[in-house]
Amino acid sequence: MISEDILEKAGLHFDEVNKLRVLKPDTNQQTSELKEECHEFVSKIDQFQKLVGSFIEMTDTIAKDVENEKMKAIGSRNMLKSIAKQRESQQQQLKALIAEKKTQLERLNVQHQSLRKQEAEQVEFIDQFSTS
Amino acid sequence: MKLKITIPKDKKHTETVTCVAWSSADEVISTGDDHKILKWNLVTGESFPLSTLPADVFPTDMSILPSQSKAGKNSSDVFVITSSDGKFHLFSNAGRIEKSVEAHKGAVLSGKWSKDGSALLTAGEDGQIKIWSRSGMLRSTLAQLPCCIYSVVWSPESDNVLYTNGKQLVIKPLQPSAKPLTWKAHDGIVLKVDWNSVNNLILSGGEDCKYKIWDSYGRPLYSSAIHDYPITSVSWSPDGNLFTVGSFNMLRLCDRSGWSHGLEKPTTGSVFNVAWSMDGTQVAAACADGHVMLAHCIEKRLEWCEFEVTLTGRKTIEVRNVVNDAHETLELRDRVIKMSLAFKHLVVVTSSQCLVYSTNNFNTPAIFDPRDGNISFIQQCEKHFLIVDHVGLYIYSYEGRQICSPKLPGGVRGSSLSIRTVSLSPDVLAVRDVKNDHSVMLYDANSGKLLGDGAPVVHTMEILTVHLSQCGPMSDRFLAIIDKNHDLYLTPVRKTSSNHRLPKLASMVQSLKWNSNVNILCGLRDMKLLVWFYPRALFLDKDILPQTLHERECSEFGKNPELCDFNENTVIVRRADGSICSISNMPYPAMLHRLVAADKWNEAVRLCRFAKLKSLWACLASMTLKEKDLATAEIAYAAIGEVDKVEYLKHIKSIPSKEVRTAEITLLSGSVNEAEAILIQGGFIYRAIQLNLDLFHWERALELAVKHKTHVDTVLGYRQVYLNQIHKQETSNKFKQYSKGVEINWQNIESKIEMELEKE
């Protein structure tokens, strides 16, 4: 036992299988346990970082999408607004064309009337012969 | 009629196109704010860059040297581009800058070559108008205004200049002493003006969104409705029948009287410049969004009797026979430039050929090559037709053979003639002299030479319209003239006596037309249609002329109507708003004309009795005078209640000698000189002397008596009786002289007269 104490003083220990060790067997065990735990911790942190990274990525894409959609929405809202104006101008153009056609119709109506009148006159003229 | 627009798919200009111009019949030059000058070939539809302007040159206006001035001069073609840096640039046809001239302070806004290409007119932001020589030397500064001049044009004769002055338009004569004519034209700033050389009308468009038409005295003829946007361009077609108006997203085709043929709404932005091709069928437009818009006129419609002809495409004509509803489509090789339908023939001029179709057979046209593609108009008559191009006049037969080409005096070009100032009949062609608008030249339509002694028909006033009667022999050919005062004059083509003032038929006549089948004349006087059933009555019996006139109230015509056609018994009138009215006319006068032409007097009398129309009887009366048919004349004059004339006709009938009868009838028509000539020619000296005595033409009677050494005493005797009756002394020296040597013995005289009458 004394030898053990001497060894201990010199900082040397024997473990269960009687191998000479610098550390105390239980310290050794604790150290290795700590080492393992550290490993575990590091890998967990790693995993966590990966997870967070992908999450950030995802939020980023979503943000981008949202931004896009937002722009689209604004665009279409503007489009909607301008379409009213566009329609108005189109309507104006069509109205001008309609007015044009109307004057043409009026012209043709006048011609038609004059032809009708002429026809009536000619019929009357023919009637003169049939009655006399 | 409307414009068919083609807009090239891709823009060739990257910026606003500001000006376009036609360099030949199928080539357009365009330039714009992108500093490119492009040349467009319309046949292939391609464009290629001609040249590039320096980066600091922004073009504002372009003008191509008129083609007619190039002939003879062996210089390269020149076009001018004015620019915003106050310069104008002369270009050769290849697109090289020949010369740049510092012209104005601020931008040059308008630049125009004169019609003969000898001078260039520019106007700028500094309010100055300058005239430059062909080579770019300053000749004169015409005006100096406190405001910008947006547009400036030459007058048709290049002796006046029209320019904008804010809301006003100004006509400034080139002579420094002459006063300019100024009038307020628009409610907004006037942006564009154009002046047509054929119809002499002015067109203006302004910021008040209206376009207006003015005559050369600044009187308003038409004002359009208000458009949505300012009018940015106006342009006359070369023949003056159409014009185009450009505005924001709009191109309008209008008739010369102002009404709109068609409206197009292309989305090309403002139309800054419109140019017509030389043949008047195509239009190029410069658009604000960088497009060069090309358009051509289609759907022109012609009607004649039962035929309707429509130009449906550039190269297709559709013919429809209304009576049997037969359709015919004529496919042509080239673009149609002009067509005309009348007298059973359709004449079509394309860019390379002239085709003459008979309405009986549309399959085999007579084809020939015209001299020049730039045709002003076609005029047809029964036997042949006239083509007027920019160089001269050509008469062709309907078989396509050239009959003749009358030469215009003094190198006048055909382009200055219009359909109103030229009239073709089967044997005579009448052309108003371009240099002297008081006279009308008459040509033999078969030889192309001047008629008779070549002296023109001269009038005291400016002549606006000429029209020849269309039927009958040469002796029936009459020329109707409307002058500046709108008075209608009638003259036979065969002159009876020279230096005679033209006889007036009516006043305030706006438009006239001869019937194409019989020699009936119709005219328009405000709201009234006038039809002269026998215009010749003016030369036969003036007193009954008003009775041969048929007036018809036509309030439906509105203001300024125009006679389009008078065929068979239908008069076609176009109102100022473009609508066409047709009016039927009584068929009797035409029938009467035909009967008389066939010498069927009994039938003619029967027709008049049937129709019971005073006007018809009056026609017959004057016709009998012309044909010297006394029996019928008596009936006709009796029917219209002209007792004195019936009596006189009875007296004529009792005369045994034929010549004297003829002379007396001529006398009834009022032509004393002619009657006297007939008598003298027939040897009836006594009658001739007596005629002058009856008319108190004492000196003439004495002259005849002395000349033929007979009845001097008779003349002196009657003169003495006359003087005694009115208690006057002899004043004529001649009579004093002869009365000395002659003794008056009434017994002698009476026996001599009796002897003369015996002799007949």
Side-chain angles (χ1 to χ4, degrees), chain B residues 225-237:
Chain B
I226 295 178
H227 289 70
D228 299 331
Y229 301 98
I231 304 298
T232 47
S233 56
V234 289
S235 176
W236 280 105
S237 75

Side-chain angles (χ1 to χ4, degrees), chain B residues 189-201:
Chain B
I189 288 170
V190 187
L191 294 178
K192 270 276 157 66
V193 285
D194 198 9
W195 197 342
N196 188 262
S197 60
V198 176
N199 59 26
N200 206 9
L201 297 179

Side-chain angles (χ1 to χ4, degrees), chain A:
Chain A
M1 277 317 272
I2 299 165
S3 65
E4 258 185 36
D5 280 345
I6 297 166
L7 275 171
E8 224 168 271
K9 271 179 191 157
L12 295 169
H13 309 279
F14 290 96
D15 65 358
E16 300 93 59
V17 285
N18 292 324
K19 274 193 176 165
L20 193 70
R21 299 268 171 179
V22 181
L23 281 174
K24 274 183 192 166
D26 51 334
T27 318
N28 187 30
Q29 200 187 333
Q30 274 172 358
T31 311
S32 64
E33 259 171 32
L34 185 68
K35 187 185 160 196
E36 224 138 272
E37 260 171 40
C38 278
H39 262 296
E40 211 170 304
F41 180 73
V42 164
S43 74
K44 267 187 185 163
I45 285 288
D46 255 4
Q47 212 177 340
F48 177 71
Q49 197 154 6
K50 238 181 241 166
L51 272 173
V52 166
S54 75
F55 182 72
I56 286 172
E57 219 168 85
M58 230 146 70
T59 7
D60 268 359
T61 52
I62 285 171
K64 223 179 248 170
D65 283 356
V66 165
E67 195 64 28
N68 271 351
E69 289 303 315
K70 209 165 92 186
M71 286 316 285
K72 259 188 203 164
I74 290 170
S76 40
R77 196 181 295 162
N78 283 349
M79 285 259 276
L80 196 69
K81 268 184 200 161
S82 77
I83 265 182
K85 265 183 196 162
Q86 219 176 324
R87 289 271 170 249
E88 213 170 275
S89 77
Q90 247 171 14
Q91 206 174 7
Q92 224 173 28
Q93 294 207 354
L94 287 175
K95 264 187 191 158
L97 287 172
I98 288 169
E100 192 67 23
K101 293 276 174 216
K102 262 190 186 157
T103 53
Q104 193 158 4
L105 178 70
E106 190 49 45
R107 261 179 244 151
L108 291 173
N109 265 337
V110 169
Q111 189 176 3
H112 184 229
Q113 294 253 310
S114 81
L115 286 170
R116 287 281 287 275
K117 206 169 148 192
Q118 192 180 3
E119 191 191 6
E121 271 170 27
Q122 282 177 354
V123 166
E124 195 186 333
F125 185 73
I126 292 166
D127 281 349
Q128 262 181 31
F129 284 96
S130 44
T131 50
S132 62

Side-chain angles (χ1 to χ4, degrees), chain B residues 390-620:
Chain B
H390 282 194
V391 180
L393 299 89
Y394 309 97
I395 297 176
Y396 290 93
S397 71
Y398 284 118
E399 289 80 46
R401 191 171 47 82
Q402 182 176 338
I403 296 172
C404 63
S405 152
K407 294 271 172 305
L408 290 173
V412 171
R413 302 181 65 88
S415 51
S416 46
L417 298 171
S418 86
I419 201 144
R420 270 156 241 272
T421 56
V422 176
S423 180
L424 180 70
S425 71
D427 36 34
V428 180
L429 170 72
V431 181
R432 190 194 72 183
D433 200 335
V434 177
K435 297 242 165 98
N436 174 11
D437 45 22
H438 291 41
S439 65
V440 180
M441 318 285 294
L442 297 171
Y443 295 90
D444 186 329
N446 295 311
S447 68
K449 294 201 172 70
L450 284 168
L451 201 68
D453 54 356
V457 174
V458 182
H459 186 47
T460 48
M461 294 280 281
E462 195 178 308
I463 296 167
L464 297 182
T465 311
V466 296
H467 202 217
L468 285 165
S469 64
Q470 294 294 315
C471 344
M474 180 95 158
S475 55
D476 279 353
R477 196 74 55 238
F478 281 86
L479 176 69
I481 289 170
I482 294 182
D483 70 8
K484 211 170 130 191
N485 285 353
H486 290 283
D487 290 336
L488 170 60
Y489 291 85
L490 198 66
T491 172
V493 165
R494 279 227 175 114
K495 257 169 284 167
T496 45
S497 54
S498 57
N499 251 341
H500 209 274
R501 283 189 59 186
L502 299 180
K504 183 165 151 185
L505 191 60
S507 54
M508 286 315 295
V509 178
Q510 288 153 347
S511 170
L512 88 164
K513 213 89 205 183
W514 284 93
N515 190 301
S516 41
N517 307 97
V518 285
N519 285 338
I520 296 177
L521 181 68
C522 87
L524 280 176
R525 180 193 282 166
D526 52 13
M527 310 275 180
K528 267 186 192 154
L529 181 74
L530 311 173
V531 185
W532 286 272
F533 292 142
Y534 194 62
R536 206 176 175 164
L538 180 64
F539 301 94
L540 296 165
D541 190 347
K542 249 188 191 164
D543 310 334
I544 59 167
L545 178 71
Q547 298 193 35
T548 66
L549 171 66
H550 176 73
E551 278 190 33
R552 190 175 162 148
E553 204 68 45
C554 290
S555 51
E556 70 263 29
F557 287 170
K559 258 189 172 175
N560 294 329
E562 194 185 357
L563 270 174
C564 289
D565 198 16
F566 186 18
N567 193 14
E568 298 288 349
N569 299 315
T570 309
V571 183
I572 293 179
V573 175
R574 205 169 60 188
R575 303 197 326 186
D577 66 354
S579 42
I580 291 167
C581 294
S582 66
I583 298 136
S584 66
N585 210 343
M586 264 189 289
Y588 298 127
M591 284 155 86
L592 186 68
H593 269 274
R594 291 198 179 107
L595 288 174
V596 169
D599 260 336
K600 292 182 179 163
W601 292 104
N602 288 334
E603 281 87 341
V605 171
R606 281 221 310 267
L607 176 72
C608 292
R609 285 198 177 125
F610 173 78
K612 293 189 200 77
L613 286 168
K614 215 171 174 189
S615 54
L616 213 58
W617 280 114
C619 281
L620 183 65

